[in-house]
């Protein structure tokens, strides 16, 4: 029972009111939607802005720097990706959540401080040796990495703690604040990659400061009356003990998702890397926004269900996979069918040659979203080492294909190798993961996805291959109307859920009426 949905009657008996619980669930969904809906909007505006402000070579430089920063983040922030989420609920039960936050802040604060110290030592050695000062790329990249390491756990913790409003506001600040600071820095310092990286760094420090302050303020209600220490050596030991496989997984995920830009930076010009990155980001924005929204809403619930009722968690994994498949397929198809329209609307001149990238990257990101569900059995059943092995195998395949084909084909090879690697990971996570946890997907979701795909594609082709924003919108209408109609016709559960939702909303609406 949700504590906010419980009230005390005249006899002192606590009663849960379902309409209040429904109101709370709706409120949480709305806050998550606000957080995730703003992300693709900001990302699209950001790509549009940066591709107009920066030349492809400058945009490529920003992408290459960010690829190395993400490599470091995948290793340093992993304690919150796996064991940290599980330990969080254990420490909440103990009433030691402030100690949990304090330990994590100390870990990441020390890491950030070491980066700044290392940068200072490197600059001093350069000066003593009468060598040129640190380049602006290294300086901006190192300071941005420091800020990102301190910020990294904040948004993840806010979501894990189900602080939906705080999570939404931090996500919006992270996205819109970055965009506004870029505009400010470019206005003050002129165009170039240095003002962009500086704006990213300042925004990350702001989000980190606001986020950590918010987390500690929100923990006041969980703290016991006995004064507790700010740091726990036991928690630090547990995180280090159980998170090392996740460090490998994080590095392998970087090799899967970001190493292509690092390799492109070493094997082709920054101009080509910039064209590739712009198309890559356009293809990823909508599927990843859906994946983030769905994950922010479902992942904490699966962890909670597994802690209290493991069999319910297994059922929820299958249902989540089915619904995510049904939702992510139309966005992926739309990105492929309307790739020229998307590039024409959201990127500047000089980036048009990257349309072929979307053809491979869009389905790759659909597989990433679905893999977030198929990987759940590995986390819940403590099979992280096995997941590390299959992730490392897929990453090695990605790097090998890039090394072989990028010199021969160019940046198009990076897109194809990305798709092949994620397909390998997706298939392996299903085959091996279902041996650990026997989750199943309902055929109804497959039928709805299939009929929606057929009707939507036929509708799009009839309207014209060239496509337009209006045709893309009509594609959505055709897909969802046909698939929902099929669900209501063949699935009694779907019909009952629709009727139940309407009845609950009606009861909730009546509960808001003032008493007579």
């Amino acid at each position: 029972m949700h504590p906010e949905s419980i009230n005390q009657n005249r006899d002192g008996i606590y009663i849960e009111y379902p309409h209040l619980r429904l109101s709370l669930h709706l409120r949480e969904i709305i806050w998550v939607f606000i957080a995730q809906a703003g992300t693709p909007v900001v990302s699209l505006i950001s790509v549009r802005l940066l591709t107009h402000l920066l030349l492809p070579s400058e945009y490529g430089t920003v992408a290459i720097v960010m690829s190395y920063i993400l490599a470091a983040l995948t290793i340093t922030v992993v304690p919150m990706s796996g064991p940290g989420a599980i330990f969080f609920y254990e420490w909440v039960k103990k009433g030691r959540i402030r100690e949990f936050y304090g330990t994590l802040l100390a870990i990441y604060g020390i890491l950030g401080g070491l980066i700044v110290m290392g940068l200072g030592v490197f600059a001093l050695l350069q000066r003593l040796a009468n060598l040129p000062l640190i380049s602006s790329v290294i300086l901006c990249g190192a300071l941005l990495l420091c800020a990102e390491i301190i910020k990294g756990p904040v948004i993840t913790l806010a979501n894990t703690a189900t602080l939906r409003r705080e999570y939404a506001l931090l996500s919006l600040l992270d996205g819109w604040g970055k965009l506004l600071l870029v505009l400010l820095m470019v206005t003050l310092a002129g165009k170039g990659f240095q003002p962009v990286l500086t704006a990213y760094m300042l925004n990350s420090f702001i989000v980190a400061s606001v986020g950590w302050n918010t987390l500690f303020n929100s923990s006041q209600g969980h703290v016991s009356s006995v004064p507790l220490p700010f740091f726990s050596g036991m928690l630090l030991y547990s995180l280090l003990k159980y998170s090392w496989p996740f460090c490998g997984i994080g590095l392998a995920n970087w090799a899967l998702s970001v190493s292509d830009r690092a390799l492109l930076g070493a094997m082709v010009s920054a101009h080509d890397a910039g064209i590739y990155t712009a198309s890559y980001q356009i293809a990823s924005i909508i599927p990843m926004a859906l994946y983030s929204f769905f994950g922010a809403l479902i992942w904490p619930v699966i962890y909670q269900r597994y802690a209290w009722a493991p069999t319910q968690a297994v059922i929820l994994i299958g249902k989540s996979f089915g619904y995510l498949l049904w939702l992510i397929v139309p966005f992926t198809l739309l990105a492929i069918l309307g790739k020229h329209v998307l590039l024409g609307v959201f990127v500047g001149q000089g980036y048009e040659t990257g349309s072929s990238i979307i053809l491979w990257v869009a389905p790759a990101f659909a597989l990433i979203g679905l893999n977030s569900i198929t990987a759940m059995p590995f986390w819940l059943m403590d099979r992280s080492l096995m997941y590390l092995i299959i992730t490392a195998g897929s990453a090695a395949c990605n790097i090998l294909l890039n090394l072989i084909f990028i010199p021969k084909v160019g940046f198009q090879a990076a897109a194809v190798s990305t798709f092949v690697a994620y397909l390998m990971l997706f298939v392996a996570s299903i085959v091996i993961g279902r041996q650990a946890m026997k989750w199943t997907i309902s055929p109804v979701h497959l039928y709805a996805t299939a009929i929606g795909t057929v009707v939507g594609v036929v509708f799009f082709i009839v309207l014209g291959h060239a496509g337009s924003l209006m045709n893309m919108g009509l594609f959505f209408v055709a897909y969802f109307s046909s698939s929902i109609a099929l669900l209501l016709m063949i699935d009694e559960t779907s019909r009952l859920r629709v009727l139940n939702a309407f009845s609950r909303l009606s009861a909730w609406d009546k509960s808001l009426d003032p008493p007579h």
Side-chain angles (χ1 to χ4, degrees), residues 237-285:
Y237 172 78
S238 299
L239 288 172
L240 294 176
K241 178 180 179 181
Y242 293 103
S243 66
W244 71 266
F246 291 86
C247 293
I249 293 171
L251 187 59
N253 281 329
W254 172 84
L256 274 171
S257 60
V258 188
S259 66
D260 49 0
R261 271 141 289 173
L263 291 173
L264 285 171
M267 303 174 73
V268 301
S269 65
H271 177 275
D272 286 350
I275 292 176
Y276 174 86
T277 302
S279 299
Y280 186 98
Q281 290 177 331
I282 290 297
S284 67
I285 285 172

Side-chain angles (χ1 to χ4, degrees), residues 48 73 240 315 387 424 428:
R48 174 78 175 177
L73 290 177
L240 294 176
I315 296 173
Y387 191 75
M424 289 179 57

Side-chain angles (χ1 to χ4, degrees), residues 248-456:
I249 293 171
L251 187 59
N253 281 329
W254 172 84
L256 274 171
S257 60
V258 188
S259 66
D260 49 0
R261 271 141 289 173
L263 291 173
L264 285 171
M267 303 174 73
V268 301
S269 65
H271 177 275
D272 286 350
I275 292 176
Y276 174 86
T277 302
S279 299
Y280 186 98
Q281 290 177 331
I282 290 297
S284 67
I285 285 172
I286 297 178
M288 290 305 292
L290 179 62
Y291 148 74
S292 298
F293 169 73
F294 199 84
L297 203 60
I298 296 299
W299 293 337
V301 178
I302 293 177
Y303 279 115
Q304 289 175 336
R305 289 280 181 90
Y306 186 76
W308 299 103
T311 55
Q312 292 184 14
V314 176
I315 296 173
L316 185 57
I317 288 175
K319 290 182 178 179
S320 300
F321 182 89
Y323 282 116
L324 183 57
L325 176 68
W326 177 64
L327 290 171
I328 209 167
V329 163
F331 288 99
T332 305
L333 289 173
L334 202 61
I336 294 173
L337 296 173
K339 57 183 182 295
H340 296 292
V341 177
L342 293 175
L343 285 178
V345 173
F346 295 113
V347 300
Q349 294 182 353
Y351 294 84
E352 299 85 355
T353 55
S355 60
S356 60
I357 304 302
I358 297 178
L359 181 65
W360 296 99
V361 172
F365 272 97
L367 295 175
I368 293 174
L370 295 172
N371 188 71
S372 67
I373 303 297
T374 61
M376 274 290 175
F378 294 93
W379 315 141
L380 298 176
M381 301 299 292
D382 196 19
R383 303 287 179 89
S384 55
L385 182 58
M386 177 57 67
Y387 191 75
L388 169 59
I389 293 173
I390 64 175
T391 306
S394 302
C397 173
N398 186 32
I399 293 176
L400 182 62
L401 290 174
N402 280 326
L403 291 174
I404 294 174
F405 292 107
I406 286 179
K408 299 178 180 179
V409 184
F411 59 75
Q412 290 89 350
V416 178
S417 64
T418 297
F419 172 74
V420 172
Y422 275 115
L423 181 61
M424 289 179 57
L425 178 62
F426 176 68
V427 173
S429 66
I430 291 179
V431 174
I432 300 175
R434 290 191 71 254
Q435 295 177 1
M437 186 176 285
K438 299 291 184 180
W439 61 271
T440 58
I441 178 175
S442 171
V444 173
H445 296 110
L446 298 178
Y447 298 152
T449 304
I451 191 66
T453 299
V454 172
V455 173

